[in-house]
Amino acid sequence: MPEPIVVSWSGGKDSALALAALAAAPEWEVVGLLTTVTAGHDRISMHGVRRALLHAQAAAIGLPLIEVVIPPAASNGVYETAMGEAFDRLRDGLQLRSPLPRLCGGEGRGEGASGHPSEMSVGSFPGFQKCNKDGEPFASHSVRDSAATGSISPLTLTLSPAKPGERGPSVAGAETLDPPDIHSRGVAHVAFGDLYLADIRAYRERLVAKHGLAPVFPLWGRDTRDLAQEFIARGFIAHLACIDPRALDESFAGRRYDFELLADLPAHVDPCGENGEFHTFVSDGPLFSRPVPVEPGEIVRRDSFVFRDLVLNTQIPNEVK
């Protein structure tokens, strides 16, 4: 039986590739996406992407969304408290009673080189399919697949910081799940899309270990140029939602992440933005039953970063594939 795992989800390309890797691996069953949202702003923390886009993304992928709400300019302690609450709930067993199809691997999936979750070999990601509740595969992006996910909004559990006085305002539209069912299957693993920053990896390892969980890094050690090219070649579509103007010109904000952009990146900028040079939002790709229709909005400069506000464009048909 595959192990349930939750993906730490920023909505960007590294998260999407980590999800794709896990979906293609028979030892894992992805049961949810874990995201931090900033209270009051209704946006994904750090990336600044609108929560409406996050919900549209989760619904198109077909996985439950677990939102951890943190206040603006949250301290590291507040962040760790909020994430710790989520980890505890996952460990003890969230009853995710979702009708959404789970992701399952397709043919040609390989076992990890060592069999250990944090060292699994995912040098390339074979094709995968979505499965119905009985584990029967749907053809990827088929009409049947679309019918199963097209009208379902993401099942959302919203968690706020535990520290009194630092809870953000309630987030409208969130569906709170029932308390954890002691008979539900607990989650023991959380996946992260980190690539090579050892200090960040060590921090995540310490944080999840405090709550009895184990981290998984399905992309760890991959060459970032190869990974960037593979992301584009596989048909994922993403835009730069946030850039560090110390590394990139403001004109890159909002640009589509494609081969032309890779060619235009300065030599000192990592092709995957692993050093924080930029962050992305993924709107379509092999994980999606339908695209999330986005268009670049206004430029916003805040906290030494430049954001391109991505907005849902209701004029673009949100066609299923």
Side-chain angles (χ1 to χ4, degrees):
M1 178 180 294
E3 284 288 320
I5 188 169
V6 165
V7 176
S8 178
W9 185 259
S10 68
K13 57 177 178 43
D14 297 341
S15 295
L17 283 173
L19 175 57
L22 295 168
E27 61 266 38
W28 301 112
E29 179 184 358
V30 181
V31 297
L33 307 175
L34 177 66
T35 305
T36 54
V37 176
T38 302
H41 297 305
D42 256 5
R43 293 175 183 267
I44 300 174
S45 302
M46 185 60 218
H47 287 210
V49 172
R50 292 172 181 259
R51 188 165 169 262
L53 288 176
L54 170 65
H55 278 207
Q57 189 184 53
I61 292 172
L63 282 171
L65 181 65
I66 303 164
E67 294 178 329
V68 178
V69 180
I70 60 176
S75 67
N76 205 46
V78 169
Y79 167 81
E80 291 182 5
T81 297
M83 290 297 288
E85 180 181 346
F87 292 151
D88 288 342
R89 296 284 298 278
L90 290 168
R91 182 200 62 224
D92 294 340
L94 286 173
Q95 184 66 24
L96 295 175
R97 298 170 288 98
S98 171
L100 302 176
R102 73 174 181 87
L103 295 174
C104 67
E107 295 182 359
R109 298 174 300 175
E111 297 287 350
S114 67
H116 191 277
S118 63
E119 298 174 355
M120 56 190 243
S121 174
V122 286
S124 61
F125 313 135
F128 62 88
Q129 298 169 297
K130 287 186 177 179
C131 294
N132 63 21
K133 62 183 177 63
D134 299 317
E136 299 169 346
F138 294 154
S140 179
H141 292 169
S142 68
V143 174
R144 184 180 177 190
D145 186 17
S146 303
T149 61
S151 62
I152 301 175
S153 60
L155 183 65
T156 303
L157 169 66
T158 300
L159 301 171
S160 294
K163 187 175 180 180
E166 288 195 300
R167 295 179 184 273
S170 60
V171 184
E175 177 184 351
T176 301
L177 300 175
D178 292 337
D181 185 332
I182 60 172
H183 299 295
S184 65
R185 194 175 177 201
V187 174
H189 299 88
V190 181
F192 299 93
D194 300 293
L195 303 175
Y196 61 74
L197 296 179
D199 55 340
I200 298 297
R201 173 169 176 156
Y203 171 77
R204 300 198 197 283
E205 289 173 337
R206 290 192 298 270
L207 181 59
V208 300
K210 290 179 182 178
H211 300 274
L213 302 180
V216 176
F217 299 91
L219 306 179
W220 188 258
R222 289 290 309 276
D223 180 87
T224 55
R225 182 161 297 279
D226 291 345
L227 197 63
Q229 293 175 346
E230 183 174 324
F231 175 85
I232 298 166
R234 284 169 58 85
F236 284 100
I237 295 176
H239 291 80
L240 272 59
C242 171
I243 68 161
D244 184 343
R246 295 167 296 184
L248 280 174
D249 186 82
E250 288 189 9
S251 61
F252 280 88
R255 280 188 59 176
R256 179 165 168 172
Y257 186 79
D258 53 18
F259 290 120
E260 183 178 352
L261 181 137
L262 292 182
D264 290 344
L265 288 177
H268 64 274
V269 173
D270 184 88
C272 287
E274 179 69 351
N275 298 302
E277 299 97 329
F278 59 87
H279 301 286
T280 58
F281 175 79
V282 180
S283 60
D284 200 7
L287 298 170
F288 291 66
S289 62
R290 60 191 183 277
V292 176
V294 300
E295 66 177 9
E298 65 176 329
I299 291 284
V300 178
R301 299 169 184 85
R302 179 178 295 163
D303 300 330
S304 302
F305 290 93
V306 176
F307 298 86
R308 189 66 181 258
D309 191 20
L310 301 177
V311 296
L312 279 172
N313 186 345
T314 56
Q315 302 303 313
I316 301 177
N318 189 7
E319 297 177 352
V320 296
K321 299 177 182 179

